[in-house]
Amino acid sequence: MCSVVAKKVISYYTSSNSAVHCVFLDASKAFDKLEYCKLFKLLLDRHIPLQVIRILLNIYTGQQIRVLWNGIYSPTFAVKNGVKQGAIVSPILFCVYFDTLLTKLRSSKVGCFIGNWFVAALAYADDLVILAPTARAMRRLLAICDCFAVEYNVTFNNLKSKCITFNPHLKARSESELPPAFEIAGNSIGTVKQWLHLGHIFSSDLSDDADILSRRNHFIGQVNSFFGHFSKLDTSTRDTLFKVYCSSHYGCELWNLTNVKVEDYCVAWRKGVRKIWSLPHNSSSLNVSLVSNSLPIFEEICRRMMNFLYSCLHNESDLIRYVVSFGIDVLHMNSIVGRNVVFCSDRFKTHVNSVGYSKISSHAMFERFLSDVQPNMRAQADVLHEAVLIRDGTLTLPKNSLTYGEITTLINALAI
């Protein structure tokens, strides 16, 4: 959701013929450097019950740890800063700590706005994105970050912090035109054309190509690793494990569904399923889905996009609801979400206003897919499924019924 809001803001400004400077700030070991005195003062300022603060105070100030090195323990010593890594409450405490910076940035009243909403600083834990339409505004926001870093013992790593400049749709920056320079803590921030934010690649041309390619390559690596561990299992078990280990499709909710590169990801998925079921390489896409009893991958991507849209439109955050609704109702085809809503409306023969306003289960989507498949194709796929199980020895036939070669020939004929 943090990434989708960032992309909406960028789309809003570039479609309005304005550039956007986007700085991805990396806070080095931010969880470890959190200062207790400032944290508990912030908790008191938020009127947290004193009993809760006392419990947290005892937990954190009473810590004694020691280091094990080469079989030898060091003397114990007290922990004087940092929240517990992996503890349930740690992200919440860190957000309270880091929210001070977001409040300071919002109070500056510079940077990107949509209507009256301040959208110039978007954070998820210690990942911070700063958005500004001008270089002057960006430098002012970065100066606020510098002051916060000094006061709250936070170090922003300039080597891991990057800037992308998104140019207006009507004006492409010349290669000879240098982007503006920005600094954090007196060190320059590098300018790039692509950068990874929360697992999603942002590109200066607002294209999803690099992100889709990255996810495709990651998926192929997952499939190869999967077969390295589970290749000797029977087909049905492999299929079940494959759906668990290789079906995250992370980030597909943010893709432009009309991007032709999405088909490359779908091709990789179908190849993986063919490999799981040992189907011929020329097996039809329909048979791949029917034999594996799974929703076609593109339909699954559409379903996830619509469910993600529902989660945004019904989110407890007013900002997320507003920005996503704005992308649909105002930006229309200038917004990826708007284009995806129109695409799904046409594809599934439904009204635009109904897309994303209810969650769709995988089972319901699969039943809808089956209803569009002709009965003879379903029957053929059922025979193909049983033939695969017979070939692999999961199902048995009476003696002298069919040879292995005949079963293989039958599978090759039915799979096309």
Side-chain angles (χ1 to χ4, degrees), residues 220-282:
I220 292 173
Q222 279 186 317
V223 173
N224 292 335
S225 176
F226 176 87
F227 269 91
H229 289 89
F230 305 118
S231 60
K232 294 183 179 180
L233 298 177
D234 64 88
T235 303
S236 297
T237 305
R238 278 206 312 262
D239 181 66
T240 301
L241 293 173
F242 174 79
K243 291 173 181 175
V244 172
Y245 286 105
C246 302
S247 299
S248 68
H249 312 307
Y250 180 81
C252 68
E253 299 88 351
L254 303 184
W255 295 344
N256 181 356
L257 297 177
T258 61
N259 190 320
V260 295
K261 297 294 183 182
V262 176
E263 179 58 21
D264 293 342
Y265 185 86
C266 296
V267 168
W269 183 85
R270 289 193 290 267
K271 286 182 177 179
V273 177
R274 290 189 186 101
K275 193 173 181 181
I276 292 291
W277 288 86
S278 299
L279 293 173
H281 70 277
N282 58 348

Side-chain angles (χ1 to χ4, degrees), residues 172-210:
R173 183 174 63 85
S174 170
E175 292 295 329
S176 60
E177 184 181 347
L178 295 177
F182 301 113
E183 293 183 351
I184 189 74
N187 300 309
S188 62
I189 297 173
T191 299
V192 295
K193 291 187 176 181
Q194 294 178 352
W195 194 247
L196 188 69
H197 174 247
L198 300 176
H200 183 77
I201 296 177
F202 277 63
S203 299
S204 58
D205 59 357
L206 282 178
S207 168
D208 295 318
D209 292 4

Side-chain angles (χ1 to χ4, degrees), residues 293-309:
N293 197 38
S294 58
L295 192 64
I297 183 60
F298 188 73
E299 308 297 308
E300 174 65 13
I301 292 173
C302 292
R303 185 187 74 85
R304 293 191 180 207
M305 190 287 299
M306 291 187 285
N307 285 349
F308 176 71
L309 181 61

Side-chain angles (χ1 to χ4, degrees), residues 91-140:
I92 299 173
L93 295 177
F94 181 81
C95 286
V96 171
Y97 196 80
F98 215 62
D99 190 56
T100 308
L101 172 59
L102 301 180
T103 303
K104 291 177 181 290
L105 292 171
R106 183 175 60 188
S107 300
S108 70
K109 297 183 180 180
V110 299
C112 289
F113 281 78
I114 295 182
N116 293 323
W117 287 94
F118 174 79
V119 288
L122 305 171
Y124 184 86
D126 57 344
D127 284 298
L128 177 63
V129 180
I130 299 179
L131 300 157
T134 65
R136 182 179 179 182
M138 176 59 74
R139 293 188 182 104
R140 184 172 174 184

